[in-house]
Amino acid sequence: MKKFFAVAAAATLVLAGCVETKSEKEAGGVSESGTDEKPVIEVLGMASNEQDMNIVRDQLLKNGFEVNLNIQPDYGSFTSQKDAGNYDVAVSSWTTVTGNPDYAVRGLFKSDGASSVIADEKLDELIDAASAVTGDEAVEAYKAVEELLVFDQAYIAPLYISNKAQGIYSAAVNPDTVRLSKSRAQAWEKISFNDESLNASETLVLHQAIGSLTSLDPIKANDGSINTLNTNMYSRLVNLTDEDEVVAEDSLSYNFAMTEDNSNYYFILRDDINFAAVENGAAVDTGDLVSAEDVVFSLNRAKDPESVPDHRTYSLHENMETVEVVTDLAELESATTPDGESVLEALSNELPADITTLVASEDEVDNAAGNYQVVKVTTTQPFPQVLNYLAHQSGGIVSEQQVSSINTFDVASYDPNSDIAYGDQSTVTEGSSYDNHLFASGPYILVQKNDYEAQFVKNPAYRADSEYAPLIDKVNVRFIDDNDSALSALRNGEIHVLQTVPDTKYDVVSSDDNLTLKQADSNGVSYLQFNMSGRDVSESADLRKAVLYSINQQDFITYYQGNKKPAVSTVTPLVDTGLTFEADAEKVKEFLDAYAQ
């Protein structure tokens, strides 16, 4: 199959060499074949998206384009080709793991976004305006974003929304304990074997495709190699439920509250989580409380683009203006929430003891005696979506003492060949480079990894001796980059949970007596990203719109056996703007004619 498509792509390349260029046409030239020019579109994607690329190719050919397929074997080579600009459209996907629409657009489409190739001041203004409002105002604001992004400028062309499907080896693992969240990365601490007596002795084996870990420092990476791993290694101030509600449950906070102006956010911290470290291959309690000082340190570095080399997540946190420890109880009494109660009342729900004192130092913390730490985050503008970003893995709390002791280099002159940054995967890779310096504030800590798997153990100081302590002692994450191989491993019981079951293999899982298939809605959207630099599509909105209206989403839905849904943009799963998108051959012709003028 792959050989056939490679030949087809090569044939397209030969045909592309015979067509007249736009500049030749403007000069009155003709192609060698004597036919009118057909615009050539280069489609970039990974081998794992080959079927999507083939559907796009067929739709474009049908609508009068020539097509080159640039198929790359993996994400690294795909990224290299994209960075080099070797594409007209790139088959892209995005999952809004924070559950809020701002995350679905800010980093992708704002001029200063970490993943953006677009520079449009009007779009920037619309994204910023939408981020500050809620309810019906937010619906109208994101409708304006979609209208400009897709219909007015055709910066992207939507393909489909994916469903989520998870396969569980329920012959061994209790499927009721395995969460399938719409946005949040998989949480491990509640997973249990059917025979609970095995939780202390048996290893839970999970799966992910990518074995090369970008960084175990939560702010230095935001990709599929580390999102789930860092989510389980670092506590955050808040979490998301499976349905994307922001809650304090299983977080570092007992409760949180925001003021009625949507600009000040308060978090009251618990005192039953210490950092874990690794000594002689085992997790140990460092005795160091995960404290307000660590929170302030972590969030200040999260919002500072210069705090670490190659900071990948600062754009998620740039709307935090200040992060501080509150010691004045009167401030909590006078501040009012949108519901009209005081912040003190909102923070006081179901605590171990009533709040008597707010303390600045972790040495003074004693929740049972009424001594608490409270952290206040103030945003640069009204920005309720800050809570969703604090639930993201990049909001994970690291140890101020440990990170500061590792990151002693000058950030501006950082040399990855000689400087070792906190979270560098080399420090946990078995062999001569192994020197595990991780401090984990979450339920698990990574002990070591190799090319085959990463080995985690539970944090003995994470809510120890309570019902919230991790249930399974040891978790291995197996690296298998081929979906079919991963599915075979699940069926053989070699892995216990397959987080992503291919859309065309649902029946394989559901018909196996040893397996359980779980399904849920997702925030994952696939789309074509137009190259906005150095290509004809970069300069011509008409050409981009001709490509846009060539895309028939029903072809994708049919191929994936109804397991995809229509999309307009990455916002679609989060906000119903009322907009819809449909292929339109007449509009394709109209925009191609306009482009040819």
Side-chain angles (χ1 to χ4, degrees):
M1 180 69 74
K2 289 184 178 179
K3 183 177 180 181
F4 170 80
F5 287 125
V7 171
T12 306
L13 283 168
V14 172
L15 289 172
C18 298
V19 299
E20 167 191 30
T21 67
K22 186 178 181 185
S23 60
E24 288 171 339
K25 184 170 184 178
E26 290 170 346
V30 295
S31 69
E32 293 180 13
S33 63
T35 61
D36 291 338
E37 173 191 11
K38 289 185 177 181
V40 181
I41 299 297
E42 182 177 5
V43 181
L44 172 64
M46 291 182 287
S48 58
N49 299 125
E50 189 170 325
Q51 186 55 50
D52 286 354
M53 296 175 71
N54 292 331
I55 294 173
V56 170
R57 176 200 60 196
D58 292 347
Q59 292 176 348
L60 292 176
L61 289 173
K62 178 181 177 181
N63 282 278
F65 294 88
E66 292 287 359
V67 182
N68 300 338
L69 297 185
N70 183 351
I71 303 175
Q72 296 298 312
D74 53 40
Y75 182 73
S77 55
F78 167 81
T79 300
S80 295
Q81 287 289 300
K82 191 176 180 184
D83 290 344
N86 296 330
Y87 71 104
D88 291 303
V89 292
V91 177
S92 305
S93 62
W94 181 260
T95 299
T96 302
V97 295
T98 59
N100 64 313
D102 187 69
Y103 184 65
V105 292
R106 181 170 296 273
L108 292 177
F109 308 129
K110 275 202 72 179
S111 299
D112 60 352
S115 302
S116 178
V117 297
I118 299 170
D120 187 316
E121 291 184 3
K122 178 60 176 176
L123 183 58
D124 293 347
E125 292 172 3
L126 292 175
I127 291 172
D128 282 338
S131 72
V133 294
T134 58
D136 291 342
E137 285 184 273
V139 172
E140 290 303 310
Y142 283 106
K143 179 178 180 180
V145 170
E146 282 192 330
E147 285 173 335
L148 191 153
L149 178 69
V150 179
F151 300 101
D152 294 348
Q153 291 297 327
Y155 290 130
I156 66 170
L159 302 181
Y160 53 78
I161 302 171
S162 294
N163 293 330
K164 255 189 170 180
Q166 179 187 72
I168 302 166
Y169 190 71
S170 48
V173 170
N174 181 351
D176 294 336
T177 66
V178 183
R179 294 173 57 178
L180 181 57
S181 302
K182 187 176 182 183
S183 299
R184 183 182 175 181
Q186 186 179 65
W188 302 343
E189 66 263 31
K190 300 295 179 64
I191 301 176
S192 173
F193 288 107
N194 291 322
D195 181 352
E196 295 179 5
S197 68
L198 299 178
N199 288 345
S201 58
E202 294 298 309
T203 300
L204 175 70
V205 184
L206 306 175
H207 158 263
Q208 74 176 35
I210 306 172
S212 179
L213 311 182
T214 307
S215 178
L216 299 163
D217 182 339
I219 67 170
K220 284 199 65 179
N222 188 18
D223 59 68
S225 76
I226 50 75
N227 280 340
T228 297
L229 310 189
N230 284 344
T231 293
N232 286 282
M233 277 217 300
Y234 299 101
S235 292
R236 294 159 300 284
L237 288 176
V238 288
N239 277 319
L240 294 180
T241 67
D242 293 345
E243 292 76 33
D244 288 348
E245 180 186 358
V246 180
V247 295
E249 182 180 355
D250 297 325
S251 77
L252 185 59
S253 305
Y254 288 112
N255 299 303
F256 64 93
M258 67 179 178
T259 53
E260 55 189 344
D261 62 357
N262 290 348
S263 294
N264 296 290
Y265 302 80
Y266 294 86
F267 307 85
I268 186 163
L269 306 188
R270 57 189 329 115
D271 67 351
D272 56 358
I273 301 175
N274 288 353
F275 287 103
V278 174
E279 294 180 4
N280 300 318
V284 298
D285 179 356
T286 65
D288 182 11
L289 178 69
V290 183
S291 67
E293 295 96 317
D294 297 304
V295 172
V296 172
F297 172 78
S298 299
L299 298 187
N300 276 331
R301 69 195 295 266
K303 71 186 183 71
D304 178 5
E306 307 301 326
S307 63
V308 292
D310 196 25
H311 197 325
R312 301 287 182 90
T313 62
Y314 70 87
S315 64
L316 306 186
H317 303 290
E318 62 187 357
N319 284 287
M320 291 189 294
E321 183 171 27
T322 59
V323 185
E324 56 190 315
V325 180
V326 177
T327 57
D328 183 2
L329 201 57
E331 178 178 340
L332 305 188
E333 293 172 328
S334 61
T336 306
T337 72
D339 294 332
E341 66 178 344
S342 73
V343 167
L344 179 61
E345 291 174 307
L347 296 182
S348 297
N349 186 42
E350 297 184 5
L351 298 179
D354 291 342
I355 302 171
T356 57
T357 308
L358 299 183
V359 300
S361 170
E362 66 178 88
D363 297 332
E364 302 173 85
V365 173
D366 185 350
N367 292 174
N371 302 331
Y372 293 88
Q373 287 191 310
V374 169
V375 171
K376 174 185 176 183
V377 173
T378 301
T379 54
T380 56
Q381 61 181 10
F383 193 69
Q385 301 191 55
V386 70
L387 292 170
N388 295 78
Y389 288 131
L390 292 172
H392 185 251
Q393 65 89 20
S394 61
I397 307 306
V398 297
S399 164
E400 177 179 14
Q401 177 182 352
Q402 182 68 358
V403 172
S404 298
S405 71
I406 300 297
N407 289 2
T408 58
F409 48 79
D410 178 64
V411 173
S413 58
Y414 171 78
D415 182 353
N417 297 312
S418 57
D419 295 322
I420 299 297
Y422 177 83
D424 191 317
Q425 72 162 339
S426 67
T427 65
V428 295
T429 302
E430 64 181 26
S432 60
S433 66
Y434 182 85
D435 184 20
N436 194 323
H437 60 222
L438 298 176
F439 267 40
S441 59
Y444 288 90
I445 187 167
L446 176 56
V447 175
Q448 70 171 14
K449 73 172 288 285
N450 52 35
D451 292 339
Y452 179 63
E453 66 184 5
Q455 300 171 7
F456 292 79
V457 296
K458 76 175 183 180
N459 175 355
Y462 182 88
R463 309 193 68 180
D465 303 321
S466 79
E467 62 180 302
Y468 302 101
L471 296 179
I472 292 179
D473 284 11
K474 294 178 290 186
V475 176
N476 286 1
V477 177
R478 191 74 48 82
F479 304 132
I480 307 173
D481 62 2
D482 178 72
N483 270 338
D484 288 335
S485 298
L487 180 56
S488 294
L490 178 71
R491 300 188 71 186
N492 294 331
E494 297 168 17
I495 62 175
H496 294 121
V497 180
L498 178 59
Q499 193 62 16
T500 303
V501 177
D503 303 78
T504 56
K505 300 296 176 65
Y506 289 2
D507 58 334
V508 174
V509 176
S510 59
S511 63
D512 191 321
D513 291 340
N514 289 321
L515 306 181
T516 294
L517 179 70
K518 279 191 172 184
Q519 293 179 260
D521 291 335
S522 91
N523 293 333
V525 177
S526 290
Y527 60 96
L528 299 181
Q529 173 69 67
F530 285 94
N531 188 345
M532 294 306 299
S533 177
R535 294 282 182 129
D536 286 349
V537 294
S538 313
E539 305 300 325
S540 174
D542 288 323
L543 182 56
R544 296 196 299 271
K545 289 177 184 179
V547 173
L548 168 69
Y549 285 104
S550 298
I551 301 303
N552 187 336
Q553 296 189 34
Q554 188 57 48
D555 290 346
F556 295 94
I557 294 170
T558 299
Y559 173 77
Y560 288 109
Q561 303 174 16
N563 294 316
K564 304 293 186 186
K565 298 175 183 176
V568 174
S569 77
T570 48
V571 170
T572 304
L574 301 150
V575 179
D576 183 4
T577 65
L579 296 174
T580 58
F581 170 76
E582 292 183 3
D584 191 324
E586 290 300 316
K587 286 186 177 180
V588 174
K589 184 178 184 303
E590 172 190 338
F591 288 120
L592 281 179
D593 287 345
Y595 165 68
Q597 299 303 315

